[in-house]
Amino acid sequence: MGAQREITADLLGSELVFTTSRSGGPGGQNVNKVSSKVTLQFDVRASRILTAEEKDIISLKLYSRMTREGVLVVTAQETRSQLQNKELVLEKFEKLLGEALARRKVRKPTKPSKSSARARIRKKKVHSEKKQLRRKPYDPHT
């Protein structure tokens, strides 16, 4: 597959649904009056922008953050400002998608060098000798 495209909130903007609600945590009486908690919902299965492969990867890697209907849910309620929470929820969303869609680097198996193998065996022998010296001498008459 070619170069991987970057999925951003701007690209998916029309498919994102934001809701606000009253937040818990610090804020005093402000908490009871202002809806500062922001919840972002993104219907992965119904997305027209994502490819089928991207949908499968996101569904597999982010299943614990999704509803049964395939809606990815991200919330932010860290600050007392609705606008700041909206920015935070967008950052979280982009980070989640970026990590989910990141290609893992393929590990190339390597053999240990001859010197490292020799060093390992020498270390094992030294350890074995140390243990031997700690043993009580063998006495056949007991």
Side-chain angles (χ1 to χ4, degrees):
M1 194 170 159
Q4 183 179 339
R5 68 182 177 146
E6 189 174 337
I7 307 289
T8 62
D10 291 337
L11 179 67
L12 300 169
S14 62
E15 296 184 356
L16 302 179
V17 177
F18 293 94
T19 53
T20 58
S21 57
R22 289 193 207 124
S23 174
Q29 303 216 347
N30 193 52
V31 169
N32 302 324
K33 296 184 288 187
V34 181
S35 296
S36 59
K37 177 180 178 180
V38 178
T39 303
L40 178 149
Q41 295 180 327
F42 173 58
D43 192 344
V44 175
R45 294 179 192 163
S47 175
R48 293 183 309 276
I49 295 168
L50 297 177
T51 64
E53 182 186 9
E54 290 168 337
K55 289 178 188 180
D56 290 343
I57 292 169
I58 291 170
S59 297
L60 185 70
K61 292 191 177 178
L62 300 178
Y63 75 95
S64 64
R65 294 177 158 271
M66 295 175 74
T67 65
R68 285 192 181 98
E69 294 76 32
V71 178
L72 178 64
V73 179
V74 184
T75 60
Q77 60 179 357
E78 285 82 5
T79 70
R80 290 168 59 173
S81 161
Q82 188 183 96
L83 184 62
Q84 285 178 323
N85 281 334
K86 186 173 181 182
E87 290 168 0
L88 282 171
V89 84
L90 286 170
E91 283 176 29
K92 284 181 180 181
F93 176 70
E94 286 184 355
K95 186 178 177 194
L96 278 172
L97 286 186
E99 289 173 0
L101 295 172
R103 296 252 179 229
R104 289 277 169 166
K105 196 173 177 182
V106 178
R107 184 188 177 279
K108 296 175 190 163
T110 57
K111 284 174 63 174
S113 65
K114 286 184 180 181
S115 63
S116 69
R118 272 190 238 116
R120 183 181 63 85
I121 289 174
R122 185 173 39 245
K123 188 176 170 186
K124 284 174 73 170
K125 284 181 180 172
V126 168
H127 192 64
S128 173
E129 287 173 16
K130 192 189 310 178
K131 298 269 187 180
Q132 295 267 328
L133 291 170
R134 290 181 188 161
R135 284 187 187 166
K136 292 180 181 172
Y138 175 69
D139 187 11
H141 300 295
T142 53

